[in-house]
Amino acid sequence: MNYQWYPGHMTKAKRMMQENIKLIDLVIELVDARIPLSSRNPDIDELGKNKARLILLNKSDLADASCNKAWMEYFKQKGFHVLEVNAKTGAGIKGVQGAVKEACKEKIERNKKRGILNRPVRAIVVGIPNVGKSTFINAIAGKACTKTGNKPGVTKGKQWIRLHKELELLDTPGILWPKFESQEVGRNLAFIGSMNDEILQMTELAIDLLAYLMVYYKEELTKRYQFVQEEWTPLETLAQICENRKCYKKGGEPDFEKGASLLLDDFRSGRIGRITLERPGQMTESNGNEVIGSDEKGIT
Ligand code: G4P
């Protein structure tokens, strides 16, 4: 299957970020904990260079807890500040202020030395569509936030949200579109539902997902759909899911399309369990470097 995105939107969003980046001290980048590399846009490193960086592994509630830990370690080793969060429930959000302070320590110190004491850290929240930027901004800002109005040099209409005297957020999330370095990245985005399902062949996608789940999450699959056998092919497993969920066509044969949608929906909403689709030990970065660290499950 060929995965497509909509590059038309990209230029405008990138321009917005380039215009504002000079006003920013810190880039808060949200990634999807289920696919921490595929849900990044490689341009962000260029855009955010010389800025403090904080990565939030969002939707951590849907991802494998041991993989979350491994990815946290991975990003730390790369020099990022990193936190595991669930923007939807607010879990982990309390830790963000401390992480921001830590990430901007040098800048705050420098300001102090120059006698600038009341200048808050200014941050922008970036990430690909649907990663949870708006949910995060709402979670961190809550109702107590005050909009501080336009500032000189900021594109007209841009608003800053003052969270407290030390941190302001640009309230427009920076939308970055994923860049497909490979078909694998496209497929991972399709798995989590970041692509229009109408343009995808759901049965093919479900079979690819099952091929992965049958290796790493067989127990979870068996628990949800019963009797998933080691020797089955992904198609046989899909047939089992159809049977388990009574997805039949008129003649009584399995309705694979329906079973596929059901499986993907179960996966995306966390009903199969907490699942991570990328493991540090098995990934190759966009620059071709292998992502180091693995055990038999592919994680450190
Ligand atoms: P965006 O601004 O980056 O485009 O994303 P947005 O905040 O709109 O979030 C996209 C979807 O992801 C929303 O679900 C949101 O509730 C969900 N979401 C955000 N953060 C988390 C998280 O940490 N965990 C989980 N499980 N979900 C999260 P939706 O289906 O569009 O709406 P709804 O189901 O919340 O009504």
Side-chain angles (χ1 to χ4, degrees):
M1 196 177 346
N2 243 318
Y3 299 94
Q4 303 282 343
W5 202 268
Y6 325 100
H9 302 288
M10 214 167 140
T11 332
K12 201 175 151 211
K14 220 165 125 182
R15 206 180 311 125
M16 170 280 192
M17 248 169 288
Q18 272 156 349
E19 279 167 11
N20 290 301
I21 201 81
K22 55 184 179 295
L23 306 160
I24 299 292
D25 305 309
L26 169 74
V27 177
I28 302 178
E29 180 185 1
L30 266 76
V31 301
D32 190 307
R34 294 166 296 174
I35 51 166
L37 291 188
S38 295
S39 58
R40 296 192 74 203
N41 174 308
D43 290 342
I44 190 62
D45 286 335
E46 181 59 32
L47 267 169
K49 86 174 171 226
N50 306 325
K51 306 287 171 186
R53 301 288 298 276
L54 172 60
I55 287 191
L56 300 182
L57 276 183
N58 193 38
K59 306 201 183 184
S60 59
D61 55 309
L62 299 174
D64 193 323
S66 57
C67 290
N68 287 346
K69 286 207 169 53
W71 281 114
M72 295 259 293
E73 206 41 54
Y74 165 80
F75 284 120
K76 270 184 205 157
Q77 276 173 21
K78 293 268 164 188
F80 293 101
H81 294 265
V82 53
L83 275 185
E84 218 180 286
V85 296
N86 174 348
K88 203 168 171 174
T89 61
I93 301 295
K94 271 199 190 133
V96 172
Q97 284 186 16
V100 165
K101 260 194 190 164
E102 186 59 34
C104 298
K105 210 160 66 186
E106 281 173 24
K107 173 98 189 180
I108 295 168
E109 285 299 313
R110 226 177 311 136
N111 280 347
K112 254 190 206 160
K113 275 187 196 146
R114 289 186 193 149
I116 310 168
L117 297 174
N118 294 322
R119 158 102 165 60
V121 165
R122 289 185 187 151
I124 187 172
V125 177
V126 305
I128 64 168
N130 215 34
V131 74
K133 296 176 295 298
S134 312
T135 312
F136 168 72
I137 291 175
N138 285 337
I140 194 165
K143 289 192 188 99
C145 71
T146 48
K147 298 214 166 179
T148 59
N150 292 341
K151 289 241 157 78
V154 185
T155 314
K156 201 167 170 275
K158 293 279 172 320
Q159 297 268 308
W160 292 89
I161 305 171
R162 176 167 276 211
L163 296 179
H164 52 90
K165 65 181 190 335
E166 287 162 340
L167 176 62
E168 285 183 4
L169 282 188
L170 186 60
D171 89 337
T172 313
I175 301 163
L176 286 165
W177 268 261
K179 213 182 208 172
F180 294 177
E181 251 76 33
S182 66
Q183 283 296 299
E184 195 186 341
V185 171
R187 200 177 50 200
N188 283 337
L189 289 158
F191 285 151
I192 65 160
S194 276
M195 236 178 272
N196 188 351
D197 282 342
E198 277 164 33
I199 60 168
L200 299 169
Q201 290 148 27
M202 297 299 271
T203 308
E204 200 181 317
L205 194 64
I207 284 176
D208 285 349
L209 180 63
L210 279 172
Y212 179 86
L213 297 182
M214 287 169 74
V215 174
Y216 293 105
Y217 298 98
K218 199 157 74 18
E219 258 177 51
E220 287 83 347
L221 270 183
T222 309
K223 207 165 160 196
R224 178 111 191 123
Y225 305 112
Q226 286 136 36
F227 311 123
V228 175
Q229 304 289 330
E230 190 105 35
E231 63 278 8
W232 283 356
T233 63
L235 186 65
E236 284 167 330
T237 306
L238 188 57
Q240 161 67 24
I241 291 170
C242 291
E243 195 180 317
N244 183 262
R245 291 308 155 91
K246 315 241 174 312
C247 303
Y248 302 118
K249 287 188 172 161
K250 268 198 184 126
E253 74 261 37
D255 186 342
F256 286 118
E257 196 73 10
K258 206 168 161 194
S261 294
L262 202 137
L263 170 82
L264 285 158
D265 200 46
D266 277 354
F267 160 70
R268 288 169 184 170
S269 55
R271 285 191 292 268
I272 301 175
R274 297 179 61 172
I275 288 164
T276 301
L277 298 173
E278 287 179 335
R279 322 183 87 79
Q282 296 166 344
M283 293 298 301
T284 308
E285 289 181 323
S286 49
N287 59 11
N289 290 340
E290 197 190 328
V291 180
I292 305 298
S294 82
D295 64 6
E296 75 286 351
K297 258 198 141 186
I299 54 174
T300 46

